[in-house]
Amino acid sequence: MIQEVKFVTTTKLRLSLQTRMIVLFTFVIILIIGTMGAIFSSIIGSSIEEQLGKKALSVAKIVANDPELRHAFTTQNPSALIQPIAENIRKQTEAEFVVVGNREGIRYAHPLPDRIGKGMVGGDNELGLMYGQSYISKAVGSLGPSLRGKVPIKNDMGEVIGIVSVGFLLEDIEQAIGDYQEKVFLIIILALLFGVVGAIGVSRYLKRVILGLEPEEIAALYVERNAVLESVREGIVAIDRNNKVTMMNKAAIRILDLPYDDFHRKEITEVLPDSRMPEVLESGEHQLDRETILVGKEIIVNRIPMKFGEKVVGVVSSFRPKSEIDKLVSELSQTRRYADVLRAQTHEFHNLLYTISGLLQLGSIQEAVELITSETSAQQEMLLFLAKQIPDPLIGALLLGMHNRAKELKIQFQINQDSGLKALPPSINRQQVVVLLGTLIQNALEAVNESNVEQKVVECYLLDTGDEILFEVEDSGPGVPEKWREAIFQDGFSTKPGEHRGLGLAKVQGIIEEMKGYILVSKSEWGGALFTVSLPKERRGLVAQGRSAYRGG
């Protein structure tokens, strides 16, 4: 008890699967989007700086190659001609400055006129003035840190006579990068919000798919499932929607005499070539207590579709050797029939004794003797008829028990005098025939007993025609309306109130289908229902005796 309390407490303290998934997904999304944002921001910064550097260099080349500006270097006052040209280009290109200097680095043009005639600042003119190269540099000038494009000015002889410096302040560049980064971060925040919402949606979906279970609960259920499957004596096989084996317990391997191999994810037809589980997967209908032949053994099998909502996602088949079921059924049916016969006879003989006692007390000795003779004669006639015409002890005992039950219910139970049934062949299961015939007669007795007809009759006819065994059970009850003659064989269908009804005729139909026979429903001569059953003596589709046959598991 203490351990159970501790377990519950620990479970409550843990974060739920949904919370953990949201936290995990959110962390992953933040990590991915944050990394991508940082990389993208860096790329944008580098790209803007690179583009402005190229722009500065391009403007500087235009200025350096201007013929009018180059000619101004030969005049007495170059600044008077160069300053207007440089300022005009600066304004058109939106550069921060366009500075023109001579061979000694003395300014001929500058955005601030008072700085004309002074030396250029930054110390980055050597490559242009000394080696005649065009390049981009960063330096701190008179206007502050800037990104510059440097191009030498050459005369017609190709000699360097000056230099052009076009630049953009780094402060302005950083501001432009910051504007772009704000947009990037806004996009990142929106993506993060959508990611969190998506994480919540995904976690809820997964939570719903796993039926609200936590990982620890799923693991516990898996362990319990395996323990339960290996503890049962029935063989169990499961397939998924693709007809692949997902589970087969040891009992199934033992019953089917299969090698201890890994059957997981194999096609069911590879493991059991004639399996009928794909039929259930396609139809979605239950197959309960079906008798079949599998690897030469008679087994009783149930095939149940697994559904998720309305969709069939797999099939589970459970089965046991028929010999084990037959043993239990035989013992139970014999005990039950014996008890029914004793109960009916006890009740009937009590009534008979009361009647005889009354006749004797009234002095009607002759009538008492005649009643005793009549009852004894009727019982002997029934026993002699059954012994001669229906020698099978199981079926004979069933009919005798139903006869006594009918007498108890004040119903006239008749076995047609033309009836004749020899010993059943080995291909027909006697216990199954007893269940089939007993269900039909019991239903007829109930129908007649609950009706208001004057003449209450149930008649049974059994005939061995050579290739087939024929049974007919008819009554004087209300009958079966034509619109219900197919529905009565469905599981759960019943015209009677209450739960656990409508199983008998469904069972009857299952037995008849397994025996490759058929059943017909029509109107009886007595006005009620007539059930006609035909069973072939040799089952069609089975292999001859001595050879093993496969039928689905």
Side-chain angles (χ1 to χ4, degrees):
M1 185 66 183
I2 295 176
Q3 293 177 350
E4 182 179 352
V5 172
K6 287 183 178 179
F7 173 76
V8 173
T9 305
T10 305
T11 303
K12 289 183 178 179
L13 291 176
R14 292 174 182 168
L15 292 175
S16 68
L17 175 62
Q18 185 172 354
T19 303
R20 280 180 280 175
M21 291 177 61
I22 293 174
V23 172
L24 177 61
F25 286 168
T26 303
F27 174 76
V28 172
I29 291 169
I30 291 174
L31 181 62
I32 294 174
I33 294 179
T35 303
M36 292 179 62
I39 295 173
F40 190 57
S41 177
S42 176
I43 292 173
I44 288 178
S46 300
S47 177
I48 292 175
E49 187 173 311
E50 181 181 356
Q51 293 300 321
L52 288 178
K54 289 181 178 180
K55 181 179 179 181
L57 187 62
S58 176
V59 173
K61 287 180 179 180
I62 293 173
V63 175
N65 292 319
D66 188 313
E68 187 176 353
L69 183 141
R70 292 165 60 190
H71 174 72
F73 272 80
T74 61
T75 62
Q76 189 174 0
N77 186 13
S79 179
L81 297 175
I82 295 175
Q83 174 70 5
I85 296 173
E87 279 298 293
N88 183 48
I89 293 175
R90 182 185 69 82
K91 292 176 181 179
Q92 289 181 3
T93 59
E94 298 182 351
E96 190 65 31
F97 59 83
V98 176
V99 177
V100 179
N102 63 10
R103 176 81 181 178
E104 289 74 26
I106 303 301
R107 300 187 185 102
Y108 285 164
H110 194 280
L112 300 177
D114 60 338
R115 298 184 183 181
I116 295 174
K118 298 179 181 180
M120 299 175 69
V121 180
D124 56 344
N125 291 333
E126 183 177 357
L127 289 176
L129 293 175
M130 297 296 294
Y131 301 101
Q133 296 182 9
S134 299
Y135 55 93
I136 299 171
S137 70
K138 287 183 181 180
V140 179
S142 60
L143 297 177
S146 59
L147 180 68
R148 311 171 175 202
K150 298 278 188 175
V151 177
I153 303 172
K154 298 179 180 181
N155 59 18
D156 295 339
M157 302 299 293
E159 298 172 348
V160 177
I161 58 174
I163 190 168
V164 177
S165 178
V166 177
F168 297 89
L169 294 179
L170 292 179
E171 181 181 355
D172 296 338
I173 295 174
E174 291 173 358
Q175 184 176 355
I177 293 174
D179 293 340
Y180 279 103
Q181 287 177 339
E182 287 181 3
K183 296 178 182 178
V184 171
F185 286 130
L186 179 61
I187 294 173
I188 290 174
I189 291 173
L190 291 176
L192 180 60
L193 291 176
F194 281 117
V196 172
V197 172
I200 294 173
V202 170
S203 65
R204 288 182 176 177
Y205 168 75
L206 293 177
K207 188 78 171 178
R208 184 171 66 253
V209 168
I210 62 177
L211 305 177
L213 298 174
E214 297 297 325
E216 297 82 3
E217 296 173 324
I218 295 174
L221 287 176
Y222 181 77
V223 173
E224 291 174 6
R225 163 189 174 272
N226 289 340
V228 170
L229 291 175
E230 297 303 334
S231 66
V232 298
R233 297 180 61 188
E234 286 192 339
I236 299 178
V237 179
I239 62 172
D240 60 15
R241 68 182 70 184
N242 298 317
N243 288 317
K244 294 185 181 297
V245 176
T246 58
M247 186 276 301
M248 179 181 291
N249 67 350
K250 293 180 181 178
I253 297 174
R254 175 181 55 80
I255 293 172
L256 301 177
D257 292 330
L258 296 173
Y260 282 85
D261 195 4
D262 184 11
F263 298 106
H264 187 66
R265 306 309 301 169
K266 285 188 177 181
E267 290 278 350
I268 185 63
T269 51
E270 293 182 24
V271 182
L272 300 172
D274 296 322
S275 174
R276 297 179 65 179
M277 294 176 71
E279 297 178 12
V280 179
L281 186 65
E282 184 176 353
S283 66
E285 297 180 355
H286 294 62
Q287 293 183 1
L288 303 176
D289 297 329
R290 298 297 180 90
E291 180 183 345
T292 186
I293 304 295
L294 196 59
V295 293
K297 297 181 178 180
E298 288 186 295
I299 64 172
I300 303 297
V301 62
N302 295 294
R303 306 179 186 96
I304 308 296
M306 295 184 292
K307 295 185 177 181
F308 187 79
E310 296 296 324
K311 189 175 182 180
V312 178
V313 297
V315 177
V316 175
S317 175
S318 62
F319 48 89
R320 291 189 70 175
K322 185 174 178 294
S323 57
E324 298 180 7
I325 305 296
D326 287 346
K327 183 178 179 181
L328 295 175
V329 170
S330 177
E331 293 176 357
L332 178 61
S333 61
Q334 290 178 11
T335 302
R336 184 175 179 180
R337 284 194 300 272
Y338 183 66
D340 288 342
V341 170
L342 290 178
R343 180 174 56 82
Q345 287 183 343
T346 300
H347 189 273
E348 184 68 23
F349 285 133
H350 278 170
N351 292 337
L352 182 61
L353 288 175
Y354 293 147
T355 305
I356 294 172
S357 175
L359 290 173
L360 293 175
Q361 291 177 17
L362 295 173
S364 302
I365 298 175
Q366 184 61 33
E367 286 81 355
V369 172
E370 291 176 357
L371 179 59
I372 294 172
T373 303
S374 174
E375 287 296 326
T376 304
S377 175
Q379 193 75 7
Q380 287 297 324
E381 287 180 4
M382 172 64 73
L383 292 174
L384 290 174
F385 176 81
L386 291 176
K388 181 180 179 181
Q389 298 298 113
I390 306 174
D392 190 291
L394 287 180
I395 297 178
L398 170 69
L399 295 176
L400 182 60
M402 290 298 176
H403 173 73
N404 293 326
R405 175 60 177 162
K407 288 178 65 177
E408 183 182 356
L409 297 174
K410 305 302 181 184
I411 297 174
Q412 183 181 354
F413 181 75
Q414 300 177 355
I415 301 177
N416 193 293
Q417 294 300 310
D418 294 329
S419 295
L421 181 63
K422 300 177 183 178
L424 296 176
S427 60
I428 295 182
N429 186 290
R430 298 165 67 204
Q431 285 84 6
Q432 296 282 42
V433 172
V434 168
V435 172
L436 185 158
L437 189 58
T439 301
L440 294 179
I441 296 175
Q442 185 64 37
N443 285 354
L445 291 175
E446 290 181 4
V448 172
N449 188 51
E450 295 173 2
S451 65
N452 297 322
V453 295
E454 294 183 1
Q455 189 175 11
K456 296 188 176 184
V457 180
V458 173
E459 184 173 351
C460 185
Y461 177 55
L462 301 88
L463 184 64
D464 186 341
T465 63
D467 294 332
E468 295 180 317
I469 303 297
L470 185 67
F471 301 132
E472 287 188 356
V473 177
E474 57 182 322
D475 58 67
S476 60
V480 179
E482 189 171 351
K483 62 180 181 180
W484 290 348
R485 289 181 182 176
E486 293 184 5
I488 58 175
F489 295 103
Q490 297 177 2
D491 286 344
F493 179 88
S494 177
T495 58
K496 304 171 186 177
E499 298 181 354
H500 308 293
R501 294 281 190 175
L503 301 177
L505 289 178
K507 174 68 174 177
V508 166
Q509 187 183 44
I511 294 172
I512 293 172
E513 287 180 357
E514 291 294 334
M515 293 186 178
K516 304 299 182 182
Y518 64 86
I519 183 170
L520 300 177
V521 184
S522 57
K523 188 175 181 180
S524 166
E525 293 181 359
W526 298 99
L530 169 61
F531 287 84
T532 303
V533 176
S534 176
L535 301 176
K537 289 185 177 180
E538 295 295 333
R539 288 208 211 175
R540 295 181 293 273
L542 293 184
V543 185
Q545 187 176 5
R547 298 174 60 190
S548 63
Y550 261 81
R551 290 287 305 279

